[in-house]
Amino acid sequence: MPTVLVTGASRGLGREFVRQYAAAGWQVIACARNPDTMGDLASDSTVLQKLDLLDPATITALANALVDRPIDILLNNAGTMGSQSFAKHGLNVQRFGQSDYADWEHLFQVNVLGPMRMAEAFVEHVAASKRKVIVTLTSMVGSMATNAAGGLYAYRSSKAAANAIMKSMSIDLAARGIIATPIHPGWAKTEMGGPNAPLNPVDAVAGVRRVIDGLTPEKAGRFWQFDGTEMPW
Ligand SMILES: NC(=O)c1ccc[n+]([C@@H]2O[C@H](COP(=O)([O-])OP(=O)(O)OC[C@H]3O[C@@H](n4cnc5c(N)ncnc54)[C@H](OP(=O)(O)O)[C@@H]3O)[C@@H](O)[C@H]2O)c1
């Protein structure tokens, strides 16, 4: 059975990825800051692991604990908008003149350095697998081409930066047969997406899984959406 490692498995899309991959017969490594609170997710096919992207030692410890374990899909799902909630205020957050720089740095630690640290720590596990995929969930708000609303400086810039690292990774790891790419999961009803989102997590995750299933080397390093269409950078 193939193996997927999911970060941010405690709630939202991450939790749904764990549910769907496990139901499809995959071996799932479900990572979260507080795995003790997620006992209901554990099963014969799903192991819970502690991982905090703000604590690099937990990343190294997990990579070492799983040495020689092939990981078919490294799914960098965990992410944050910081202290200003899109769910409550929509795009009217992180406006010009209101920057909270400590919050912004925190966001970069989680959304950009987090996926990078994960990829560097787990590249051998992925290279040893059959499917060899590294995906980071970014966001359409990281697209320059579609930014018509302005604002949202911290989150937008973190997701644009995450797109940039996935692009470089797709080039650097191609020779090892690894397919690296960013995917926008759609606007989905989670704590981050809020109640007005048009998609439910079940459909958003099913869409992302379909996109991942269809990845080929030619599709690496491009900006995919959950419905299989390509988004301009
Ligand atoms: N929902 C949307 O509409 C939407 C749209 C575009 C992109 N995305 C992206 O999709 C991904 C999942 O979003 P979501 O809607 O499921 O968000 P969510 O409901 O807010 O869940 C975020 C997850 O990330 C985890 N996380 C936060 N900081 C972490 C850290 N330092 N270390 C490890 N895990 C951490 C959270 O864990 P805790 O429970 O411990 O806080 C939680 O499991 C994110 O990358 C997000 O940016 C979402």
Side-chain angles (χ1 to χ4, degrees):
M1 277 299 138
T3 296
V4 59
L5 183 153
V6 182
T7 63
S10 58
R11 55 190 165 90
L13 301 183
R15 190 179 176 86
E16 181 60 19
F17 276 114
V18 171
R19 196 191 67 75
Q20 289 194 21
Y21 275 114
W26 284 58
Q27 295 293 313
V28 184
I29 303 166
C31 302
R33 294 192 281 192
N34 298 303
D36 298 347
T37 62
M38 307 155 38
D40 58 311
L41 275 183
S43 69
D44 288 347
S45 61
T46 303
V47 291
L48 310 181
Q49 296 285 0
K50 181 173 176 58
L51 187 131
D52 183 343
L53 296 177
L54 293 173
D55 181 357
T58 65
I59 299 178
T60 312
L62 184 58
N64 289 340
L66 296 175
V67 76
D68 293 333
R69 170 84 189 264
I71 293 175
D72 293 87
I73 302 175
L74 171 60
L75 184 41
N76 289 312
N77 159 82
T80 182
M81 280 201 66
S83 62
Q84 294 181 298
S85 160
F86 171 81
K88 278 193 189 139
H89 306 290
L91 290 174
N92 198 28
V93 292
Q94 300 171 2
R95 307 301 299 183
F96 186 87
Q98 298 172 1
S99 295
D100 178 335
Y101 290 100
D103 206 39
W104 200 331
E105 283 179 19
H106 163 89
L107 234 121
F108 258 69
Q109 285 287 345
V110 177
N111 295 352
V112 189
L113 276 58
M116 190 70 204
R117 289 188 205 279
M118 288 298 293
E120 290 187 321
F122 286 93
V123 65
E124 297 304 331
H125 305 70
V126 174
S129 77
K130 197 165 164 221
R131 304 199 185 194
K132 301 183 176 52
V133 169
I134 302 177
V135 162
T136 296
L137 293 195
T138 65
S139 172
M140 68 176 291
V141 302
S143 163
M144 315 288 166
T146 64
N147 180 0
L152 212 63
Y153 283 85
Y155 186 65
R156 269 191 208 287
S157 59
S158 76
K159 291 299 185 178
N163 280 343
I165 66 167
M166 295 314 292
K167 178 72 193 184
S168 274
M169 224 184 270
S170 73
I171 296 165
D172 294 338
L173 302 183
R176 303 196 67 186
I178 293 175
I179 299 172
T181 207
I183 299 179
H184 165 57
W187 181 18
K189 284 185 190 68
T190 61
E191 214 166 303
M192 182 184 291
N196 298 324
L199 273 174
N200 63 53
V202 174
D203 294 333
V205 165
V208 172
R209 288 181 55 229
R210 266 194 301 276
V211 174
I212 292 175
D213 271 354
L215 285 174
T216 57
E218 299 69 39
K219 291 184 171 177
R222 290 158 62 183
F223 190 9
W224 298 105
Q225 304 200 72
F226 73 101
D227 61 2
T229 59
E230 198 167 357
M231 167 140 299
W233 298 110

